[in-house]
Each structure stands twice: as structure tokens, then as C-alpha cells.
Amino acid sequence: MEGVNHSEFAAFLKSRRDRIRPADVGLPAGPRRRVPGLRREEVAQLAGLSADYYTELERGRGAQPSAQVLTALARALRLNGDERDHLFHLADRPVPPATHGPAAQVQPALLGLLDRLTTTPAQVITDLHQTLVQNELAAALVGRPPAVRGPAASLVYRWFTDPDARGLYPPEDHPHHSRVFVADLQAVAARRGGDSEVRRMVAALRRRSEEFTALWDTHDVALRRTDHKRIVHPSLGVIELDCHSLFSEDGHQRLLWFSAPPGTEGAAQLELLSVIGTQDMTAGEHSASG
């Protein structure tokens, strides 16, 4: 790995792997676990990598890992900000800036809870509705986030600028979601104190969407904590679910999860969703965050 500190990179990966208990990431301990922390293949699974590729990294071999791989490893290994930066330094990659957007590090407490939500769709988003990480059921329900940067990474921005982004919800529900998105963004803008990221998004939306401008000028404010949603799935039709939010302490990130009361059609559809998985979803389709 050209430019990489081979031995230190490998040693750091192993040291972070050894400190994590399987229960910390929602994995069973098993009766015959011979390593103090996670197995290599478990880290690979959590990071979305092949076991062979991760093994080569931990042995200090192979090509220089990309920034995307390093970010995935930082999440899988529950690295804090300093540890993530150290991983990037060892791999001779530029350290990503600490932002609120898709490059942001998922807060460990939310990530730990997400790992335990294995039977319900769940994901972590930013306060601007940019998806940071999601479980497989969430990807099957709402699609994977588009591989874009800037304002378009936000579902709120896409909602008012890209008609395809609205396909996730029935047309008769669109006015409700528009109002809720704008009221939520008003609250976020006030809490952030008008930082540049929010100012740019609001200015762009006012230029591009008359609907957004009219709603923004009402000055309605309400953080989106819970909501009842009807989600259009390509195979299962309309699924009625409750969406819940758990906010991080600083308010910059949210854990969202979807549920339905036992015995309802929505609960039955969620059961089917776990069987169908993402086989009918194209990459980036719908890609809702909240």
C-alpha cells in the first residue's frame, strides 16, 4: 500500500477490532469465540467489505484503501473522531472535515442502537435529512441514498427540486410532507444559528421552488419527532407505518425507525419486506431519510 504506514495501519485495525465485544454491535457471542473482540469476517461484514479484502488490510497488504473504505471501517470499528482521523493519517489519505453532512461520523450511541434494531427498518440521518447509515430493512423500504454531495444529499432539498424524490409517498400525502419538512428545517436553522450550510440550502430552495418559499414564509416551526407515513413500495404497495426519531444530544443527528402495531397490515408487510429484501430496489431509488 503505497504511502501507507503498513505495520501501524495493520496494528491499529487489530487493536480496535479486539476491543469491541460482539454484543456492542448486535452480534451473538457464540460458544467458541477464541478472539477477545470481533472476528475479521465480522468487521468485514459490518463495513460492507469482503473478508479476504479486510484480512489483507489487517496484514498490511494490498492497495491503498479509499476514503470510502476508511469511513466504512471507522463506523464498523466504532472509532471516535480522533481515532478516525488517525486511521486516515495512517492510510495516507486526507482527513475529511468534521461536517454535519454525509461525511460526518455517525455518533457512536446512535450507531450502537442501530445495530440492535435488526427486525425493523432503521437509519441514522443528519438534521438536514442526509442519510449517514442504514440497515438492510431500511434500504429495502426506502431505498439507498444517492451517491451525491452538496445540497442534493438532503432529502429536503431533493423533495422540492426533484419530482422523482416524491415517489416514496402517495401524491395526496405530499402537501403534509412538504409542510413538515419546512417546519423542521426552520427549527434546525434557528438551532444552528444560521450557519452557512443551512443558509445556502434555504437560498437555493427559495430560488428553485415556489412551494418551498410560500411554506418558508409562514414561519411555522416544529421538529419532526414522530409521524404516521404511507410509503409506496414497488412490490408491497402502500405500507402504513409509524416513524419515530431519537435525537443525538447535540441535535445534529437522528436515529429513525419504522414500526407498525402487531396484527396490522403494515406489520405483515414488514415481515414480507424482510424476505423480499432489496432485490426489487434499484440503487438510490426513492432514498428517503425521514
Side-chain angles (χ1 to χ4, degrees):
M1 293 187 289
E2 183 180 356
V4 180
N5 188 326
H6 300 261
S7 60
E8 288 296 324
F9 185 84
F12 186 63
L13 285 180
K14 184 178 185 305
S15 70
R16 301 306 89 180
R17 173 169 65 87
D18 287 347
R19 72 176 181 176
I20 301 176
R21 296 172 302 172
D24 293 338
V25 293
L27 295 174
R32 296 185 179 180
R33 184 168 291 272
R34 293 178 292 178
V35 294
L38 298 181
R39 300 185 178 99
R40 286 172 175 167
E41 59 268 25
E42 290 170 337
V43 174
Q45 178 184 353
L46 291 170
L49 307 173
S50 73
D52 289 343
Y53 177 68
Y54 177 77
T55 297
E56 289 297 293
L57 288 179
E58 201 171 287
R59 290 175 176 170
R61 303 173 183 169
Q64 181 187 28
S66 67
Q68 290 79 9
V69 166
L70 295 172
T71 298
L73 286 172
R75 291 175 181 170
L77 294 169
R78 303 302 186 263
L79 303 188
N80 62 32
D82 292 336
E83 291 170 331
R84 182 205 63 162
D85 293 353
H86 185 61
L87 186 71
F88 274 78
H89 285 309
L90 292 175
D92 195 30
R93 291 287 186 188
V95 176
T99 68
H100 303 303
Q105 181 77 7
V106 181
Q107 298 197 12
L110 297 185
L111 196 55
L113 288 172
L114 177 67
D115 287 329
R116 288 164 172 76
L117 295 174
T118 58
T119 60
T120 190
Q123 55 192 11
V124 177
I125 69 170
T126 71
D127 53 358
L128 295 182
H129 294 258
Q130 300 154 323
T131 302
L132 298 177
V133 63
Q134 60 185 175
N135 63 18
E136 288 301 311
L137 279 176
L141 178 66
V142 301
R144 300 192 186 278
V148 295
R149 293 184 177 274
S154 164
L155 176 61
V156 176
Y157 184 85
R158 297 195 306 276
W159 181 262
F160 290 102
T161 60
D162 180 3
D164 291 342
R166 299 195 173 199
L168 185 68
Y169 302 120
E172 57 269 28
D173 295 351
H174 291 178
H176 164 75
H177 291 294
S178 293
R179 290 192 301 272
V180 172
F181 277 137
V182 174
D184 186 87
L185 183 59
Q186 283 274 14
V188 170
R191 193 197 65 245
R192 284 207 194 182
D195 71 9
S196 60
E197 185 180 21
V198 178
R199 287 200 309 271
R200 287 194 300 268
M201 179 178 291
V202 171
L205 286 172
R206 289 180 70 92
R207 289 193 302 270
R208 298 194 57 181
S209 171
E210 292 182 0
E211 180 191 17
F212 175 85
T213 299
L215 289 170
W216 186 260
D217 288 342
T218 67
H219 300 284
D220 290 339
V221 179
L223 282 174
R224 192 177 207 173
R225 293 182 172 88
T226 61
D227 202 356
H228 185 76
K229 297 185 177 185
R230 299 194 304 157
I231 295 176
V232 180
H233 188 273
S235 298
L236 301 177
V238 176
I239 308 176
E240 291 200 30
L241 299 170
D242 295 316
C243 180
H244 313 274
S245 298
L246 177 66
F247 291 72
S248 62
E249 187 173 355
D250 62 9
H252 291 321
Q253 295 181 10
R254 309 171 185 183
L255 172 66
L256 302 184
W257 71 98
F258 300 85
S259 66
T264 63
E265 183 179 3
Q269 288 170 306
L270 282 184
E271 289 287 338
L272 285 174
L273 185 69
S274 66
V275 176
I276 295 173
T278 58
Q279 63 186 25
D280 293 321
M281 301 294 289
T282 58
E285 184 176 354
H286 298 327
S287 60
S289 64

